[in-house]
Amino acid sequence: MSTHTADRTIAERLTGLEQGLASAERRARRWRLAAVSLGAVGAVSVLAAAGTSAWSGYVGATVVQAERLEIVDAAGRSMLTLGSDAQGGTLFIRNASGRPVFEAYADQSQRGLTRIAGEEGDTRLTLGSSDGAGLLAVSGAAGGAVVVSADADGSGAVETFDQAGTRLAWLGHGDAGGFLTLHNAAGRPVHSSFTDEAGFGATLVSSDAGEPLAAIGANQWGGLMRIHNASGTPVASTFVGSGGYGATSAGGPGGLAMATLTAGPDGGQILVGNSVGSTVASTYANRLGRGVTVLADEAGDVRLSSLVDADGGAFYLLNRAGRSVFESYADPAGAGVSMLSGPSGEPIASWSSGADASR
């Protein structure tokens, strides 16, 4: 190839490039490539003066400046756009159908935001940031999303949302430790497991309205479980008390305990209460390891008791004044003894099955 032929070929390519730029300006693409044009003209002049054929056929520039750069396909449809707006730079990529499938730009808070879409242009992945934290959202074609985020203090969270944008699950951590919350279709929390302020694990199960109905937890003595009625009032609980002994209680609609089963150093104990909070029946093992049963009136005053002592069984009946009016027990010799008393507790009659029985 002669020098003139090489010069003409390069000049034709540069002319074609200049015509393309002029056509872009006519379509309002706002090219600012004066530097490129000047550089291209200078290259032609140098080549013509040198008379060389070693030019490989490309044009280079150190800086390209434009308000917007748009890449189109053979049909003139925009496939890629580089530009800027009031917040900063922008990048948009479209697929062959003309739908935006990739976007990167600065949002209104001057933070970076990236969006990746499916073939129909529906968002599948969003990557961004908020006040001192990052955010990643992954969406499905039918809707719904999984969001991974981190707060400014470094605590993270994973959340899932349905097609309506209702949060259904939330996994994260806070000052006390980790937590997991599950929501129903209405967005109300119905299950939550977390670390409480004392560092123990806890689980709450709630109604469809979000009212807590059951709780499982732990304390310094052991585990505990609490059951609530539909009004949110605790009506039953099972727990480990001080000393490591178990206890169970059941209450009425107002939360008042009406029955309690406990264990202690001496043994087991059952307490039964009435609707006004008075203990009216109790059965327990005393400190000697013997069984005791006590019955009381509506005010909780003892009226009857039965127990076991060193000689055998014993039974005591008290009047409303609290005085014993009837007693029956086994004496040290093993004989049965009964005593009948007056209203003030004065003995009236007694009898025994022993040798010295008297009436």
Side-chain angles (χ1 to χ4, degrees):
M1 181 184 292
S2 68
T3 301
H4 295 294
T5 302
D7 291 346
R8 186 169 58 253
T9 300
I10 294 172
E12 288 173 353
R13 291 177 179 175
L14 292 176
T15 299
L17 176 60
E18 291 171 349
Q19 290 174 348
L21 292 176
S23 176
E25 289 173 352
R26 287 194 299 270
R27 292 196 302 269
R29 294 181 180 174
R30 304 175 182 175
W31 286 95
R32 290 181 177 176
L33 301 177
V36 176
S37 299
L38 292 174
V41 174
V44 174
S45 301
V46 171
L47 288 174
T52 178
S53 61
W55 181 250
S56 60
Y58 68 86
V59 177
T62 303
V63 178
V64 177
Q65 291 183 325
E67 287 186 1
R68 191 171 80 172
L69 173 63
E70 192 168 352
I71 306 298
V72 299
D73 62 7
R77 297 177 301 177
S78 176
M79 295 287 103
L80 183 149
T81 303
L82 284 171
S84 64
D85 55 22
Q87 281 72 46
T90 61
L91 168 63
F92 297 91
I93 298 177
R94 296 171 177 81
N95 61 18
S97 300
R99 297 182 177 90
V101 294
F102 183 91
E103 302 175 5
Y105 49 88
D107 63 17
Q108 295 181 352
S109 299
Q110 304 286 302
R111 304 184 183 101
L113 183 66
T114 299
R115 172 182 171 269
I116 299 176
E119 64 276 10
E120 298 298 325
D122 52 310
T123 300
R124 300 291 177 84
L125 186 147
T126 301
L127 178 65
S129 63
S130 59
D131 294 333
L135 177 71
L136 171 65
V138 181
S139 305
V146 177
V147 178
V148 181
S149 62
D151 293 332
D153 61 2
S155 59
V158 178
E159 301 169 81
T160 62
F161 298 83
D162 64 10
Q163 291 87 341
T166 302
R167 183 166 60 191
L168 299 182
W170 187 10
L171 173 66
H173 76 277
D175 295 337
F179 65 84
L180 168 66
T181 302
L182 303 180
H183 302 246
N184 60 19
R188 299 183 179 93
V190 294
H191 179 97
S192 181
S193 294
F194 55 92
T195 305
D196 64 20
E197 295 180 353
F200 295 100
T203 296
L204 294 178
V205 180
S206 303
S207 68
D208 57 348
E211 291 290 340
L213 296 183
I216 299 175
N219 57 25
Q220 65 269 35
W221 299 307
L224 60 90
M225 179 175 66
R226 187 174 64 246
I227 307 297
H228 299 242
N229 60 20
S231 300
T233 303
V235 294
S237 62
T238 298
F239 56 92
V240 177
S242 61
Y245 297 100
T248 297
S249 67
L256 185 65
M258 294 183 175
T260 304
L261 172 64
T262 62
D266 299 328
Q269 176 178 264
I270 299 174
L271 302 178
V272 178
N274 59 19
S275 60
V276 296
S278 300
T279 300
V280 295
S282 61
T283 298
Y284 59 92
N286 63 19
R287 61 185 180 84
L288 298 176
R290 299 164 182 163
V292 178
T293 296
V294 177
L295 300 180
D297 63 13
E298 68 280 3
D301 296 323
V302 177
R303 296 290 175 255
L304 183 150
S305 63
S306 61
L307 53 86
V308 175
D309 58 21
D311 300 323
F315 176 85
Y316 300 90
L317 184 65
L318 287 72
N319 61 17
R320 297 190 64 87
R323 295 181 174 89
S324 176
V325 294
F326 182 81
E327 302 175 10
S328 185
Y329 54 88
D331 65 15
V337 178
S338 295
M339 181 180 294
L340 187 64
S341 303
S344 299
E346 66 280 8
I348 296 176
S350 65
W351 57 95
S352 171
S353 62
D356 56 347
S358 62
R359 286 182 172 82

